[in-house]
Amino acid sequence: MTDTHCPYCALQCAMRLTSAPGTPPSSGAPAPTSERDASVGAEPRQFPTNQGGMCQKGWTSPQVLTTPDRLTTPLIRNTAGHLTPASWDDALDLIASTITTIQAEHGRDAIAVFGGGGLTNEKAYQLGKFARVALRTKNVDYNGRFCMSSAAAAANRSLGIDRGLPFPLTDLTGADAILLVGSNPADTMPPCVTHLQGARNRGGLIVLDPRRTATAELTGPIPPEGIHSTHGAHLQPIPGTDLAVLLGIAHVVVMEKLADHTYITNRTEGYDALAASLSPWWPERVAQLTGVAAEQLRWVARTLAAASPHHGGRGAYIITGRGIEQSRQGTNGVTAAINLALLLGLVGNVGSGFGTLTGQGNGQGGREHGQKADQLPGYRSITDPQAREHVASVWGVHPDDLPGAGQPAVELLNSLGQPGGPRALLVHGSNVVVSAPHVRRVQDRLAALDLLVVCDVVPSETALLADVVLPVAQWAEEDGTMTNLEGRVVRRRAAVSPPGQVRSELWVWQELARRLHAPGVWSTCPSEVFDELAAASAGGRADYSGLSYARLDEHERVTGGVDGSGLYWPVLGPNHPGTPRLFTDVFPTVSGRAALVPVQHDGPGDTVSAQFPVFLVTGRLLQHYQSGAQTRRVAALTQAVPGPYVEIHPHLAEVYSITEGDDVLLTTARGRARAAVRFTSTIRRDTVFMPFHWPGVGSVNRLTNPSTDPISGMPEFKVAAVQLARVTEDIA
Ligand SMILES: Nc1nc2c(c(=O)[nH]1)N[C@H]1C(S)=C(S)[C@@H](COP(=O)(O)OP(=O)(O)OC[C@H]3O[C@@H](n4cnc5c(=O)[nH]c(N)nc54)[C@H](O)[C@@H]3O)O[C@H]1N2
Ligand SMILES: Nc1nc2c(c(=O)[nH]1)N[C@H]1C(S)=C(S)[C@@H](COP(=O)(O)OP(=O)(O)OC[C@H]3O[C@@H](n4cnc5c(=O)[nH]c(N)nc54)[C@H](O)[C@@H]3O)O[C@H]1N2
Ligand code: SF4
Ligand SMILES: [Mo]
């Protein structure tokens, strides 16, 4: 029996694996296949975020350990174009020699690295170090750019620090009101719903989503002619207009004198400019722009205010998700949500707050330790001379030898194989040909490379395009730490041995660093890498210096996992208790105050037109995870949802003579996709929805807009303008 955490989302539900522990692969030694236990089971444990619950994906997660097409040996593409088994030495020699040749001819930045928010802290840290010290390239970024970058940029700008939830998730339980902006936790983090029940019971659960999702359903039906229900309200805006909705609510807060002026005076700066910027956003104007009724905007403002501490309420929270963030105005959208929370005096007041629900398992830690183009470990800036000096000293190199900031993910992918762009790409933990925006363009860029190396656990669609595929260990096969959506660092533990020739990625980087004659220490032992990470993070914003495996294990033993195993960063020393709640006294900004930053609504890059008359929104289904590389290999999950589909309102379908069960062709300025339709009356009549979990003709990312937020680099996944037609022909 091994206590660990789920391989998937950032809730990091605690689970117990029922199997004999195997040999951790930290030595890099391959384990004989016979040692593997094919019958690993998972069951939930008590833990604050999941309260003993788990979703279907968590329950079935061990099946990915023994999936029949698991990668078990390195593969090299032969001259006939086929991926064929190879030895580790051959694969690593080939990679190292090709990198050396490319760099000699095209310079160090000709090698690019793409990481993932599912990697453990140790691997995310080592990958960033490998890019800067062994490859000495500036071109490293990761899929968190698709996920958390807008929320991160907004929190850094307004609050001085980016920790998804700056409070324990369980704090939500006591609130009178919770506003969820573009977030669907009932499908994306099911056990999280228990924390929404308090606000729901008190009539204060408010959900902003163009679809009536399972989360919106929790608010209960709004009576005809009414504006709210007994449990709260579902606001169903025109896609891409959330920012305007938030400006409208904030306008009411200011005009109806609902703001907390004591808090504003003591803890914020910039009120006058913010109030002036809000004046054009009166509710009737916002209603016209967004489709959300003016009276509903007023009701939300009053409900949040009544729940706020300065009006004697039990507390209020404003929480954002990808629905508002994955937009070319995502940073400003989240900023509008933070402004509203600051006006109401919520942030840093225990029992109230602002937060974002981080997505991937290690979406939080993955963005702190250096796989982001502009960051060094500990959430340090790569352009800050002091940060460079500190990290260089931990790495045993000269600060001048560290590269500068690289390009964010979309721009990086688009530069591959272009004149002056990278000629090789190493991918660790992302399936970009399914999950990046405008995937047809991504495929073209990958095809233009001299070398594509993919490390994965399964033959993902991206791995199948690679020149070299390296089989690496996954969650239950190696030790590590993850930082969950609350900034809580938890232990992931090895339970089984990896199969065949599978090795730890830490070993891969050690071997490549050696072949590239890189300076520094390249440990393959996760706890040693963690200690190095802790030292590198010391003094940074995400300071882990007081943590070690020994301390985390002891803490879990003492708490029994129930009321708080894992510690919240910053943890400033071995006796520092960690920081469950940020901002209670001061904001980590230059002035110590939070900034009220005026923002305006602009709208999505695509506008609906005669050519593309319908909104397309994208997102997730309960049963599948991300690009589907893992969950499409689990029988129960593919049985539940076997393939892609398009949600459409029957009235809209009628306009296009589409009937239930038809296949529909979707066309945007980027390309075409095809999928079956599913009728639902819960979506707006001007909008269709498609999940992004599948490759091929049903991949919604053939359609999505790669234009990015100028501050965060976040692509506009959520909203596109689309043409619909009944399918009459096959498409490529
Ligand atoms: N089952 C499952 N769970 C997951 C994941 C998964 O792939 N599958 N992935 C994990 C990860 S990495 C992440 S980032 C999280 C994401 O978690 P969420 O943010 O909850 O998930 P999404 O479905 O991407 O988007 C949320 C909602 O945004 C809505 N939306 C679309 N356009 C708009 C808009 O213009 N405005 C507003 N207000 N809403 C809009 C969609 O209808 C959708 O219901 O989930 C995590 N959990
Ligand atoms: N249209 C649309 N597109 C989206 C989104 C959306 O809402 N709409 N959401 C975006 C978001 S929020 C995200 S987070 C991305 C996610 O999309 P991806 O970045 O594609 O994420 P995954 O599908 O989780 O891919 C992880 C890959 O890593 C592999 N893997 C698992 N563990 C390990 C490991 O330890 N090491 C290595 N090397 N590999 C491992 C898995 O098998 C899988 O192939 O998608 C984005 N794309
Ligand atoms: S909610 Fe997230 S962490 Fe929990 S079991 Fe499901 S996928 Fe795993
Ligand atoms: Mo994500």
Side-chain angles (χ1 to χ4, degrees), residues 108-133:
R108 296 203 169 268
D109 293 336
I111 312 299
V113 173
F114 201 91
L119 301 178
T120 58
N121 285 317
E122 295 75 2
K123 294 201 284 189
Y125 164 81
Q126 199 82 326
L127 181 58
K129 174 179 167 181
F130 178 77
R132 273 64 175 248
V133 175

Side-chain angles (χ1 to χ4, degrees), residues 114-116 118-120 123 143-144 146-148 322 326 359-360 427-432 434-437 455-458 460 472-475 478 492 505 618-620 625-630 690-692 700-701 704 717-718:
F114 201 91
L119 301 178
T120 58
K123 294 201 284 189
N143 68 5
F146 300 159
C147 182
M148 297 316 302
R322 300 313 83 79
Q326 290 173 329
Q360 296 180 86
V427 180
H428 295 267
S430 181
N431 191 7
V432 285
V434 180
S435 56
C455 273
D456 209 304
V457 302
V458 292
S460 71
V472 292
Q474 56 176 314
W475 60 293
E478 59 186 351
R492 190 180 259 187
E505 255 151 321
T618 76
R620 298 164 161 79
Y625 192 69
Q626 317 276 58
S627 73
Q630 290 149 291
M690 247 182 117
F692 76 101
V700 75
N701 280 326
T704 44
F717 281 122
K718 277 293 177 278

